[in-house]
Amino acid sequence: IEQRVLADPHAPPVVPYLFPFFGSMITFGLDPIKFFRENQARYGDCYTFLVFGRRMTMCLGPDGNNFFFNAKLSHVSAEEAYKTLTVPVFGKGVVYDVHNSVLMEQKRFMKNSLTNDSLRAYVPMIEEETSQYIQRWEGKTGTIEVVQSMAELVTLTAARTLFGAEIRAQLDERVADLYHDLDNGFTPINFLFENLPLESYRRRDAAHIELKAIYMDILSKREDLGNENRVDIISHLMNCTYKNGEALSHSEIASIMIALLMAGQHTSSATTAWALMFLAERPQLADELREEQIRELGGLDVPLSFEVLKRLPHLDNLVTEVLRLRPPIIEIIRKVVKPVEYPGGQYVIPTGHYLMSSPAVTQTDPNIYRDPQRFNPARWFADAKKESAASIGTAADEVDYGFGVLRTTSARSPYLPFGAGRHRCIGEPFAYLQIKTILATLVRDFDFKLTSRGMPAPDYTKMFILPQTPAEVIYTRREAKA
Ligand code: HEM
């Protein structure tokens, strides 16, 4: 009966469900990728399912990706989908609280702050933070919980590089608690309900106010004392001006800094955590990374640098493969604000539906990737890339074999861990640099192997897809570095 109520001859097919409010919540929630794939086999790339009373319409496959990421602003909106979650955390006047044209300018400011000179300066900082952090791993051998350790390490390295010395200095104290409270307010529940009378919502709002005040204080001190010799994002944003001649306000800068933290922290730490789990599962991959460093750099004690990282394709491919098989973001969402026709003309998706893209589905599609569930970094060597680009009709010259980044410009690409189109990630170069520097440093000092718990499954209850905890590895300190 319910389905008939929804019936609209032009709307996409609906996945059957028993209870209207919950819809497909259970099958979807248990393993979203399996759910997406099974229903794709039944209904094709475009279908609707219900969850918590919302109509979610999937756009799958290369054509679905392209439709989703290049949809017209007049019909499809990111801010309408994300504002409930993000505005209380980031604050007003930025990102999804402004017209898309303003976001585009703000993104240009963020992107331009990650210059090659800044990235060059970041590598030694990340290496040093990592070396200091791993001194906590005592003795010759021991066990660490990877999700927590990598979250700490990624926060330390991001604070040291992007967020400014002042934030790094306060990280061991108040700022870490504030980050934690903001995180607890950035969950799937917060996506569904802007405000609930819960302690986590109260703490989220209090943390936003306090962290913003900390940034405002940093900004006014820097305005008085000068901003010289700094390579962090704050220093860059302080010099940015909109096209209409207005400078970014301190309030906007503070909110952008919080937005960058939320966008970059979990994505990078999930990727680093999965990478370390795969290295522990297959220790020969870590051997390869060490051999590559010895071959290219002459030893394991040569300081890492921006230039050195470019000469480590095995490391690069490892990160690319982690992002294929375990992308941290598996659901990207928009809201339909005007009925929109799905390519092929078969369906018109009504206003009020949420569109959902899951590049994770194409990234593990057996018709596109050979043996897709196998973690195989070697598939990204140039020849293999060309072959796979050709097999899916992507021009091989759209693939940049340069520094660490697989920049497919086409939203039709089956490999989109950073999204595509106007909302595409601006943090990719930084993320690669950070993750590679951390991993290169870790394998110099340690061997890793899994505990008897083995390889953890993905935890689909979180906003970002981390390994289920405890995700443990055993580290063994290596005797000599060469
Ligand atoms: C957007 C993934 C790291 C900042 C995105 C999107 C994805 C993504 C899938 C598109 C979202 C959408 O279309 O709705 C990732 C992954 C990362 C990563 C997998 C690490 C491995 C970072 C970092 C930063 C960052 C380190 C900042 C320093 C942003 C920003 C956007 C974005 C500002 C734009 C959002 C928009 O335009 O709506 N990212 N990201 N990301 N990311 Fe990242």
Side-chain angles (χ1 to χ4, degrees):
I1 296 164
E2 270 307 322
Q3 270 188 281
R4 247 181 275 143
V5 174
L6 276 180
D8 163 348
H10 304 294
V14 181
V15 176
Y17 51 87
L18 279 178
F19 304 106
F21 181 71
F22 295 106
S24 303
M25 188 183 79
I26 297 194
T27 36
F28 160 68
L30 283 176
D31 187 340
I33 297 178
K34 184 163 170 250
F35 174 85
F36 296 152
R37 205 187 291 293
E38 282 177 2
N39 287 301
Q40 183 185 28
R42 271 182 217 127
Y43 306 106
D45 286 344
C46 181
Y47 57 86
T48 299
F49 67 97
L50 259 82
V51 60
F52 280 119
R54 288 168 195 234
R55 285 158 205 195
M56 317 296 297
T57 295
M58 295 306 300
C59 309
L60 294 170
D63 289 341
N65 287 347
N66 189 45
F67 162 72
F68 180 95
F69 287 113
N70 286 327
K72 276 200 191 137
L73 270 185
S74 50
H75 292 63
V76 165
S77 159
E79 52 273 27
E80 287 304 316
Y82 291 147
K83 66 183 181 191
T84 311
L85 171 76
T86 55
V87 177
V89 176
F90 304 172
K92 299 254 173 225
V94 300
V95 190
Y96 304 121
D97 188 49
V98 289
H99 188 270
N100 185 268
S101 57
V102 180
L103 169 61
M104 292 302 113
E105 283 202 70
Q106 293 176 346
K107 279 183 75 176
R108 190 165 42 82
F109 301 148
M110 302 177 208
K111 190 174 175 188
N112 290 348
S113 67
L114 299 170
T115 59
N116 276 358
D117 281 346
S118 303
L119 296 177
R120 190 169 279 114
Y122 293 164
V123 176
M125 296 176 175
I126 299 172
E127 188 179 2
E128 191 183 78
E129 285 289 341
T130 309
S131 299
Q132 275 169 17
Y133 181 82
I134 55 188
Q135 285 170 19
R136 298 182 193 181
W137 299 351
E138 289 171 349
K140 170 122 179 84
T141 181
T143 303
I144 49 161
E145 203 292 308
V146 169
V147 170
Q148 160 130 21
S149 304
M150 293 306 109
E152 287 169 357
L153 184 50
V154 164
T155 311
L156 287 164
T157 53
R160 174 77 182 272
T161 51
L162 301 181
F163 300 130
E166 301 92 329
I167 290 288
R168 172 67 190 87
Q170 297 178 59
L171 202 56
D172 299 328
E173 305 150 21
R174 189 73 190 124
V175 169
D177 294 340
L178 298 177
Y179 279 12
H180 186 70
D181 287 348
L182 282 182
D183 268 357
N184 288 340
F186 203 74
T187 70
I189 296 288
N190 302 91
F191 169 74
L192 293 167
F193 310 103
E194 179 165 358
N195 268 308
L196 289 177
L198 294 178
E199 177 64 4
S200 63
Y201 279 69
R202 197 196 58 72
R203 293 181 78 106
R204 170 196 73 184
D205 295 342
H208 168 77
I209 292 169
E210 198 176 333
L211 191 57
K212 193 152 173 187
I214 291 176
Y215 271 114
M216 298 289 275
D217 186 48
I218 294 172
L219 284 157
S220 58
K221 286 204 177 108
R222 286 200 190 185
E223 194 126 282
D224 295 342
L225 300 173
N227 208 3
E228 276 95 57
N229 298 326
R230 296 194 190 262
V231 287
D232 55 41
I233 296 192
I234 309 176
S235 65
H236 180 86
L237 295 180
M238 285 178 78
N239 295 317
C240 288
T241 324
Y242 290 109
K243 281 188 220 135
N244 67 6
E246 271 179 39
L248 269 176
S249 69
H250 283 191
S251 166
E252 287 166 340
I253 298 177
S255 291
I256 288 177
M257 295 309 295
I258 300 176
L260 287 173
L261 170 76
M262 301 314 284
Q265 171 64 28
H266 295 285
T267 43
S268 291
S269 83
T271 310
T272 317
W274 280 115
L276 195 54
M277 295 311 304
F278 283 118
L279 287 173
E281 185 189 38
R282 306 247 301 276
Q284 71 276 20
L285 292 173
D287 291 338
E288 266 172 35
L289 297 188
R290 278 188 289 267
E291 280 159 22
E292 171 175 73
Q293 289 194 38
I294 294 167
R295 197 167 55 243
E296 296 296 327
L297 318 178
L300 293 176
D301 47 8
V302 179
L304 295 169
S305 69
F306 184 69
E307 277 68 29
V308 158
L309 289 181
K310 288 188 208 175
R311 307 209 303 267
L312 304 175
H314 279 89
L315 180 57
D316 213 69
N317 291 338
L318 184 105
V319 179
T320 303
E321 181 68 346
V322 172
L323 288 168
R324 182 190 69 79
L325 194 55
R326 293 283 181 265
I329 299 182
I330 60 162
E331 288 148 19
I332 307 179
I333 303 173
R334 305 283 184 261
K335 193 166 182 184
V336 178
V337 290
K338 207 171 167 190
V340 58
E341 187 178 300
Y342 191 78
Q346 204 182 347
Y347 308 125
V348 176
I349 307 168
T351 303
H353 277 219
Y354 288 84
L355 298 184
M356 196 184 260
S357 159
S358 182
V361 174
T362 40
Q363 288 176 192
T364 50
D365 185 335
N367 297 316
I368 298 173
Y369 293 95
R370 208 170 296 140
D371 207 356
Q373 293 305 330
R374 186 176 138 75
F375 182 77
N376 176 19
R379 72 169 84 236
W380 294 105
F381 275 107
D383 285 349
K385 270 197 266 188
K386 273 189 208 139
E387 196 187 308
S388 96
S391 76
I392 47 109
T394 306
D397 59 7
E398 278 184 7
V399 181
D400 173 3
Y401 301 119
F403 175 50
V405 186
L406 190 80
R407 286 201 188 85
T408 42
T409 48
S410 164
R412 213 175 282 280
S413 165
Y415 182 82
L416 294 171
F418 294 97
R422 62 180 60 246
H423 290 285
R424 193 188 194 288
C425 187
I426 51 94
E428 179 178 358
F430 176 78
Y432 260 84
L433 182 104
Q434 180 187 34
I435 297 165
K436 291 200 313 186
T437 307
I438 290 175
L439 295 175
T441 309
L442 293 182
V443 297
R444 285 177 167 199
D445 284 15
F446 296 101
D447 288 315
F448 297 98
K449 64 178 185 195
L450 294 178
T451 65
S452 56
R453 287 177 184 275
M455 192 69 177
D459 178 354
Y460 292 120
T461 62
K462 303 271 159 58
M463 203 78 181
F464 302 94
I465 309 306
L466 287 150
Q468 278 177 14
T469 53
E472 291 175 343
V473 302
I474 299 168
Y475 64 81
T476 305
R477 201 171 285 275
R478 291 169 51 79
E479 294 293 328
K481 277 201 167 189

